[in-house]
Amino acid sequence: MLSIVLPAYNEQQMIEKVVITLQQLLTANSIPYELIFIDDGSRDNTWNKIQSATKKYKHVVGVHFSRNFGKESAIFAGLEAAIGDVVAVMDCDLQHPPETLIQMYREWENGFELIEGIKKSRGKEGIIHTVSAKTFYKIMSKATGIDMQNASDFKMMDRKVVDALLQLPERNTFFRALSSWCGYKVRTVEFEVQEREAGETKWSVTALFRYALTNIVSFTTIPLQFVTLSGVVFLIIAIILGVQTLMKYFCSGAVEGFTTVILLLLFIGSVIMISLGIIGYYIAKMYEEIKARPRYIVSEVIKSTKDREGELNG
Ligand code: UDP
Ligand code: MG
């Protein structure tokens, strides 16, 4: 069975449309499936829509978060709830073309364990968005050693990969990179990002910035090396200036050079502050991990894993 995980945050207009589209497509291709909607604490009628969908269509499962925990948490809740031998993750705004699912499914049948959706182009995005996304993915590609340009959350995974992901203990997850990090037999499938049909994107510039920072810190310690590097640079400057100062002192009685002192003070001050900030950020993230709070809190489930296992056997 194919489980499809669909994180939904304020997507009331999309739920029914998605169910109908996927139902038609998957039945036509005779693929057994279940649809798992994770309502990520939506403020509109998304949960009602999911509830009525679970009543109307028997393959639909609903999980309701107690508040908005973010897409990453929703994805992991979906993976946890899925009981299929193969699990796909896709956005529920139909920006990930459903037909690609079939292509992915065939690759899975061919023995691939992780099938990653790669964006052919990034769709319609503003220039600032494109540039910052490019920079972010350059850093992430360096950090993970995996080419992340054009990566997306649209993926299909074998049960093995899902179990491996669910074993990871960290709170700050970055699904897109973690799945590749797991390894396994990977295959990529290209897709064209579709226009959003209804509703609007949930990502503001600040949200994206925070997302980028968190993920960089969770995957690499390169920023910390910046601290060491600036230390080394300043040591070299210190040696040069030190020799010069001593020479002046012995030859001509010194004084003079207040500008240098002021400039150095300002410059070193800022480098120290930035360095402390970087270290502080890592400590903050460690603190968050150490608290080991759950990734999300589920307030309601319709058709739990147990219910469905009964169905499968019976
Ligand atoms: N989403 C979510 N929680 C959030 C934000 C988004 O579950 O806090 C879901 C959203 O419902 C959608 C997917 O994540 O199914 C992608 O979100 P969106 O379409 O807003 O992002 P974009 O496609 O613009 O990158
Ligand atoms: Mg979208």
Side-chain angles (χ1 to χ4, degrees):
M1 185 174 63
L2 168 65
S3 305
I4 304 181
V5 172
L6 299 140
Y9 178 55
N10 298 345
E11 304 278 7
Q12 52 179 3
Q13 291 148 295
M14 296 306 300
I15 305 293
E16 180 128 24
K17 213 183 261 177
V18 171
V19 176
I20 294 171
T21 316
L22 290 177
Q23 187 184 32
Q24 276 172 357
L25 182 77
L26 294 165
T27 344
N29 286 280
S30 42
I31 298 173
Y33 68 96
E34 63 170 357
L35 304 181
I36 303 171
F37 283 98
I38 318 294
D39 175 23
D40 186 9
S42 301
R43 269 181 238 135
D44 62 1
N45 272 323
T46 306
W47 182 237
N48 289 338
K49 297 275 179 205
I50 295 176
Q51 277 177 315
S52 41
T54 53
K55 288 193 194 107
K56 208 159 148 193
Y57 306 94
K58 70 173 203 264
H59 300 294
V60 178
V61 175
V63 177
H64 185 44
F65 279 1
S66 60
R67 65 168 170 87
N68 181 248
F69 279 94
K71 188 182 175 188
E72 289 289 325
S73 302
I75 291 177
F76 275 83
L79 296 182
E80 193 96 46
I83 55 170
D85 333 293
V86 53
V87 182
V89 174
M90 75 187 281
D91 286 1
C92 78
D93 52 7
L94 292 179
Q95 281 192 296
H96 296 158
E99 309 78 54
T100 311
L101 276 178
I102 307 297
Q103 218 181 324
M104 290 175 154
Y105 191 79
R106 300 292 169 229
E107 295 292 359
W108 175 72
E109 285 179 325
N110 287 340
F112 289 99
E113 290 156 325
L114 170 61
I115 300 104
E116 303 195 280
I118 303 284
K119 295 177 192 158
K120 248 188 214 152
S121 61
R122 298 196 50 96
K124 279 200 187 125
E125 283 172 348
I127 188 141
I128 300 178
H129 194 119
T130 314
V131 171
S132 32
K134 271 231 166 89
T135 324
F136 168 60
Y137 283 115
K138 274 231 175 80
I139 300 176
M140 286 306 287
S141 302
K142 269 250 162 67
T144 52
I146 308 160
D147 183 17
M148 299 266 314
Q149 300 274 348
N150 300 327
S152 75
D153 283 338
F154 189 21
K155 292 178 200 278
M156 192 177 284
M157 293 157 288
D158 187 80
R159 173 59 35 201
K160 279 186 245 173
V161 183
V162 176
D163 289 341
L165 276 175
L166 288 176
Q167 268 178 19
L168 299 177
E170 63 227 68
R171 312 287 113 199
N172 256 319
T173 51
F174 184 38
F175 172 67
R176 215 167 277 199
L178 277 179
S179 51
S180 320
W181 176 88
C182 285
Y184 292 99
K185 260 188 266 168
V186 183
R187 181 81 175 178
T188 54
V189 168
E190 283 196 336
F191 71 92
E192 199 72 67
V193 180
Q194 309 295 306
E195 291 269 335
R196 190 178 243 286
E197 285 184 29
E200 52 192 27
T201 176
K202 310 296 177 304
W203 294 95
S204 62
V205 176
T206 35
L208 276 177
F209 187 69
R210 214 174 320 124
Y211 180 71
L213 265 190
T214 311
N215 291 323
I216 290 171
V217 167
S218 80
F219 257 91
T220 167
T221 51
I222 290 175
L224 285 177
Q225 281 150 32
F226 161 83
V227 178
T228 321
L229 187 74
S230 46
V232 172
V233 170
F234 275 106
L235 179 66
I236 296 169
I237 298 177
I239 292 171
I240 298 168
L241 281 182
V243 171
Q244 192 206 28
T245 311
L246 283 178
M247 294 233 293
K248 273 207 185 132
Y249 179 77
F250 286 119
C251 300
S252 55
V255 194
E256 208 192 307
F258 266 116
T259 325
T260 323
V261 173
I262 292 169
L263 286 181
L264 275 179
L265 217 62
L266 289 175
F267 201 58
I268 294 178
S270 20
V271 172
I272 290 178
M273 292 301 182
I274 293 172
S275 305
L276 279 180
I278 295 174
I279 298 170
Y281 197 73
Y282 274 91
I283 294 178
K285 289 293 158 196
M286 280 162 61
Y287 180 52
E288 275 171 25
E289 293 287 340
I290 284 174
K291 280 191 284 188
R293 292 202 178 142
R295 286 184 193 132
Y296 51 82
I297 298 172
V298 171
S299 67
E300 204 176 328
V301 186
I302 302 183
K303 290 192 204 161
S304 65
T305 320
K306 268 205 189 114
D307 299 341
R308 281 175 291 144
E309 261 164 6
E311 260 172 46
L312 272 185
N313 301 330

